[in-house]
Amino acid sequence: YSADLGHYVGDAHVPLHTTKNYNGQLTNQKGIHAFWESRIPELVADEEYEHFVGRAKYIDDILEASWNAVRVSHYAVDSVLSFESTLSASWPDDMKYTYEDRGRTNIRTYSKEYALAYEEMLGGQIERRMNNAIICLGSMWYTAWVNAGQPNLLRYEEKEVSDSLKNVLAEEEEYWRQGRINGREHDN
């Protein structure tokens, strides 16, 4: 459940997850979703982003905190789309994209220069949304632990996992070793 919650909290902090135009398909910006959510963080997060966001805090109203994350994300939709549109109009077409090897595949993706220019226009928005997701998730986990009576979590380390879970984990590890994806590919 904690991993599922992490997925949903992360998704709630992505502006494009709050709009019908989630991938720029309505504004001729197809692919902007992966550009904002993946390409830019892949290029700059390790070197530029600071993810030490402080201690988790108890959340009095989880539902309100959840909807607040969605609202704040939605407020950023306009800048996500309009900034990229402005940049695209001023950027030479032959410098907007590049080709890179991803595993065994050569893909077309936004160029590093274009991505960095867009990230600069956003003024740290992606890092802020990521950091808000981190503190929100940590706070939700902390709140759940407090509400559960602050159980000793060390006792769960000693618990044996089921044979069916062992099989699933072994299968996933084998997919990983072979470089295969167990699921659907993302749009480029």
Side-chain angles (χ1 to χ4, degrees), residues 63-123:
L63 192 57
E64 176 56 32
S66 301
W67 282 112
N68 186 57
V70 172
R71 271 191 297 278
V72 173
S73 290
H74 188 70
Y75 295 150
V77 170
D78 184 53
S79 60
V80 168
L81 295 170
S82 66
F83 289 3
E84 194 282 329
S85 180
T86 299
L87 182 63
S88 183
S90 68
W91 203 267
D93 285 339
D94 63 336
M95 298 187 72
K96 185 174 178 180
Y97 297 99
T98 188
Y99 289 89
E100 292 183 355
D101 290 330
R102 291 281 174 107
R104 297 179 186 143
T105 306
N106 190 273
I107 63 162
R108 180 178 180 245
T109 188
Y110 291 93
S111 71
K112 183 176 183 177
E113 296 77 18
Y114 186 79
L116 295 176
Y118 180 54
E119 205 268 342
E120 186 174 326
M121 284 181 81
L122 290 170

Side-chain angles (χ1 to χ4, degrees), residues 21-164:
N21 192 20
Y22 63 91
N23 196 27
Q25 71 276 13
L26 303 177
T27 52
N28 198 29
Q29 295 171 287
K30 190 169 183 330
I32 194 169
H33 176 264
F35 183 39
W36 189 98
E37 182 181 273
S38 299
R39 177 69 172 155
I40 292 171
E42 287 170 357
L43 290 172
V44 299
D46 284 347
E47 300 295 323
E48 303 292 328
Y49 292 178
E50 176 60 62
H51 292 307
F52 290 104
V53 295
R55 293 177 152 251
K57 296 175 178 72
Y58 184 83
I59 300 173
D60 290 318
D61 188 339
I62 293 286
L63 192 57
E64 176 56 32
S66 301
W67 282 112
N68 186 57
V70 172
R71 271 191 297 278
V72 173
S73 290
H74 188 70
Y75 295 150
V77 170
D78 184 53
S79 60
V80 168
L81 295 170
S82 66
F83 289 3
E84 194 282 329
S85 180
T86 299
L87 182 63
S88 183
S90 68
W91 203 267
D93 285 339
D94 63 336
M95 298 187 72
K96 185 174 178 180
Y97 297 99
T98 188
Y99 289 89
E100 292 183 355
D101 290 330
R102 291 281 174 107
R104 297 179 186 143
T105 306
N106 190 273
I107 63 162
R108 180 178 180 245
T109 188
Y110 291 93
S111 71
K112 183 176 183 177
E113 296 77 18
Y114 186 79
L116 295 176
Y118 180 54
E119 205 268 342
E120 186 174 326
M121 284 181 81
L122 290 170
Q125 178 193 81
I126 298 170
E127 180 182 15
R128 282 192 307 279
R129 297 310 302 143
M130 289 175 79
N131 287 347
N132 287 150
I134 291 166
I135 194 68
C136 181
L137 179 59
S139 295
M140 287 188 174
W141 284 339
Y142 175 71
T143 301
W145 177 72
V146 169
N147 289 351
Q150 301 180 10
N152 179 356
L153 300 179
L154 295 178
R155 68 185 174 122
Y156 293 106
E157 287 184 10
E158 300 166 5
K159 191 172 186 176
E160 183 68 27
V161 297
S162 68
D163 288 339
S164 61

